[in-house]
Amino acid sequence: METIAVYWEPKPKTYGFREVFDLSLMNIEIKPEEMSQWGLWLMELADFDIGFHLILAKYSTHQKLGLYILIEKFVVDSVLSHIDKRIDPESEKKIHLTSPVELISFQGPHFGDRYGIAYSAFKALDGKGVPVLITVCSGAAVYIVLPEKKLKDARPLLSEAFVVP
């Protein structure tokens, strides 16, 4: 028989919020047979000193992968140019860009060991006029991507739901 301990707080503690503005969210639809080539193309971006704030892969419909990449708005043209040079002009290109967007992220003590962290964040924003574009929750952190000018609305709502230093 195994026993586990669960720690729960009505208002979880954080180490504070990290906020990033002037970002762009790329959504690329990739077929399984294209995954290795796309991986190489994205790795080449490091040669241009282009990094990502966040990357998320999500299974889509018809055996396709939705790849969401959060990058600085000022590098979008360079990234799209890099991709355009590598894609066969005859092939169907499935890239959707949402820009500008904003990111708020946070972590706290033992987030990975506690239940309800993501729920607390979603509950704080739900029905309050703050649309969430994507969310990534890891064992240690929560990342929320919002449309432009919505972070100012999200911050006080999340500050009510979490203890922020």
Side-chain angles (χ1 to χ4, degrees):
M1 187 166 147
E2 186 176 333
T3 303
I4 63 168
V6 176
Y7 180 72
W8 181 84
E9 298 171 300
K11 193 169 180 178
K13 294 177 185 74
T14 71
Y15 297 128
F17 295 142
R18 178 176 173 260
E19 301 173 0
V20 187
F21 301 88
D22 293 321
L23 300 171
S24 294
L25 180 63
M26 293 177 60
N27 178 4
I28 305 169
E29 189 176 273
I30 301 172
K31 297 176 186 171
E33 62 271 13
E34 301 170 334
M35 288 176 63
S36 61
Q37 190 59 58
W38 271 97
L40 291 173
W41 293 339
L42 294 173
M43 284 179 21
E44 290 172 356
L45 292 174
D47 295 336
F48 303 111
D49 228 8
I50 295 174
F52 309 136
H53 282 272
L54 185 65
I55 189 163
L56 161 71
K58 175 186 164 226
Y59 178 76
S60 186
T61 57
H62 309 291
Q63 294 191 5
K64 293 182 182 168
L65 187 69
L67 189 62
Y68 295 84
I69 303 172
L70 190 62
I71 58 176
E72 296 285 341
K73 185 178 161 190
F74 74 89
V75 299
V76 167
D77 290 338
S78 298
V79 171
L80 291 176
S81 173
H82 174 76
I83 291 170
D84 281 342
K85 290 176 188 170
R86 280 143 184 83
I87 293 180
D88 177 4
E90 302 299 319
S91 72
E92 185 179 7
K93 185 169 49 171
K94 296 277 186 164
I95 300 176
H96 177 74
L97 184 68
T98 305
S99 185
V101 298
E102 302 170 342
L103 170 68
I104 186 166
S105 62
F106 53 95
Q107 60 186 36
H110 309 289
F111 265 21
D113 299 332
R114 300 186 318 193
Y115 297 98
I117 302 297
Y119 174 77
S120 295
F122 296 141
K123 184 178 173 188
L125 300 176
D126 190 40
K128 307 286 190 337
V130 180
V132 174
L133 299 175
I134 63 168
T135 302
V136 175
C137 302
S138 72
V142 176
Y143 302 84
I144 303 172
V145 178
L146 306 164
E148 181 183 34
K149 298 185 178 169
K150 287 298 181 178
L151 199 149
K152 66 177 174 35
D153 299 330
R155 184 185 317 105
L157 297 170
L158 291 168
S159 293
E160 288 179 25
F162 293 89
V163 175
V164 182

